Amino acid sequence: MSLDLETFLQHAPDAEKTVIHTYKGKQRQQFPALLVAQTFRQKLFITLEVQRRYVTHTLAEDNAEEIELDFVEDYAEVEALMEDAGLYGLHDGEVGIVYHNLLFLLMNPAVN
């Protein structure tokens, strides 16, 4: 049985979701995004728009309060973050987790 996106977002913990704000021309757009992987310094989100995009939140090295936001288009970078997050334990100084939200997105692809 498939679960609709709106219901899933209502029940997802706040720490596992965010809203990505972008601009197209002068118009501001907002897209919900789910956390799918996390290491000590980075979080990987997937936007819930029709054409899904990968977004990373990275803690700046020089300022633990500052977060850098990047849209990731290089599959190798996404794969490396997923690998680091999927290793339960230390690997290259990272400890991470892969979230069940990824399973939801795989089971419920975006529909045009």
Side-chain angles (χ1 to χ4, degrees):
M1 178 177 177
S2 139
L3 185 63
D4 69 281
L5 179 60
E6 201 168 305
T7 302
F8 187 82
L9 281 174
Q10 282 180 327
H11 296 286
D14 289 341
E16 294 181 14
K17 59 188 174 185
T18 191
V19 176
I20 305 297
H21 300 270
T22 62
Y23 285 90
K24 187 173 187 176
K26 291 185 179 186
Q27 185 178 359
R28 187 170 111 172
Q29 298 178 315
Q30 299 181 100
F31 301 104
L34 283 174
L35 181 64
V36 294
Q38 180 175 358
T39 67
F40 179 70
R41 294 192 55 248
Q42 283 190 305
K43 293 181 179 181
L44 178 65
F45 291 89
I46 295 180
T47 64
L48 302 178
E49 57 197 309
V50 173
Q51 182 180 351
R52 303 238 166 108
R53 295 185 281 178
Y54 296 99
V55 181
T56 58
H57 286 189
T58 306
L59 292 176
E61 289 188 33
D62 56 343
N63 183 353
E65 299 290 318
E66 186 179 330
I67 296 176
E68 298 172 0
L69 178 103
D70 290 309
F71 284 95
V72 181
E73 295 180 13
D74 180 7
Y75 181 76
E77 188 176 343
V78 171
E79 184 179 36
L81 180 54
M82 294 290 290
E83 181 180 321
D84 284 349
L87 296 171
Y88 193 73
L90 291 175
H91 174 71
D92 294 335
E94 300 286 350
V95 176
I97 193 164
V98 176
Y99 284 86
H100 63 278
N101 296 337
L102 181 58
L103 179 59
F104 171 79
L105 293 173
L106 290 172
M107 298 299 291
N108 296 281
V111 177
N112 287 335

